[in-house]
Amino acid sequence: MTSLPPHPLLATAVELAPRLSARAAEFESARRLPPDVIAEFARAGFFRMLIPEAYGGMELHPALSFQVIEALSRADGAAGWCAMIGASTGLATAWLTESVAREVLSSPEALIGGVAAPLGRAERVEGGYRVTGRWSWASAGHHCHWLVGGAVVTEGGNPRFVREGIPETRLLVFPAQSVTLHDTWFSMGLRGTGSGDMEVKDVFVREDHAFSLLMPPRVSRPLYGFPFGLLSHAIPAVALGIARRAIDELITLARQKTVLVERRLLAARPSVQEAVAEADAEVRAARALLLEVLHATFDEATKGPVSMRARADLRLAATHGTRAATRAVDRVYEAAGGPAVFHTHPLQRCFRDIHTATQHAMVARPLLEITGGVLLGFDPPLPTL
């Protein structure tokens, strides 16, 4: 596997980690990250990791952005998740015209969020679209300057189709003041992400504020040669960071807790030793696979179009990484025993956070069916690999 030199942004994430961990309960109680944390993330450059260099972004290799988000998530899952959303949605600027991209990024602390799922309706009108829709999981929405929403394109109220059974869709870019946010985020985990609903009603969106990831990017750079894989690669970064934190917490607990009946430390219990070993191996193996595939996919993108097999490999590695991390957390949570059930223990938060992350559509179980189908020689049913 190709290695990359250390990046200062990763060092910044590691330096921030203790302060994020110390405020995790505050994030959960507020059900969103506070403005000072978002501002610090923006100043550090976390939200510009995937924005084109031509527009003032970092355009980082995906293996580097993966490691940054993983480090933040090891400190706190909600913090890592919000950094992931801001960074991932920022790649949209590579599909916008230069003038619109610079408008969106006019503030040095610009944060772009939103939901790509085509849950809205965009009626074709002169010069653009009239858009109505409501989307769940608009993470960090209260802090965003711009929000993106996916929609099915309609004409005369009827959906337009690119081919039989496949509707035409667009991603629409809204200024935050055009969007209504609903406080619906009463979740099991990732509570500090503020991932409530966003809604627009009959909002006009100019043609140049709409785009499709199925079309070639306007910024033709290798990073933007596999947009759906790029969107998905950071979710397992969050999951694997949470899993590593859970393993850390079990090790700390096991070295301190005495099992009274057995008159020995929890760390001396064979089942705990086995759980730590299995969880550590699963996390490291899933992480290694994902980094290997990220390097291979990016390398392929530097030479030309990315093949369907490479796209499938990346989506498979992302889905597998998220699910492997979840299995690891389950193992160490069970091995920890009674202390892990309390709200004040970090293991409980790791357990809740990771079981919330697995519900995201980009890494859900159906992706295994789609990628498995590609491995077996079938064409994917949807053009979103």
Side-chain angles (χ1 to χ4, degrees), residues 131-144:
V131 187
T132 296
R134 181 163 174 162
W135 299 262
S136 299
W137 288 71
S139 303
H142 292 86
H143 302 293
C144 289

Side-chain angles (χ1 to χ4, degrees), residues 65-80:
S65 56
F66 169 90
Q67 291 175 69
V68 171
I69 293 166
E70 179 188 37
L72 293 171
S73 303
R74 186 173 183 174
D76 179 69

Side-chain angles (χ1 to χ4, degrees), residues 4-15:
L4 298 169
H7 195 279
L9 198 61
L10 179 56
T12 301
V14 172
E15 187 274 328

Side-chain angles (χ1 to χ4, degrees), residues 113-121 131-138 148-152 169-172 174 198 213 228 231 360-362 384:
V115 184
L119 303 177
R121 295 177 75 84
V131 187
T132 296
R134 181 163 174 162
W135 299 262
S136 299
W137 288 71
V148 176
V152 172
T169 61
R170 286 292 183 276
L171 292 164
L172 298 308
F174 311 104
M198 53 176 269
L213 294 176
F228 295 101
L231 282 172
H360 197 286
M362 294 294 284
T384 51

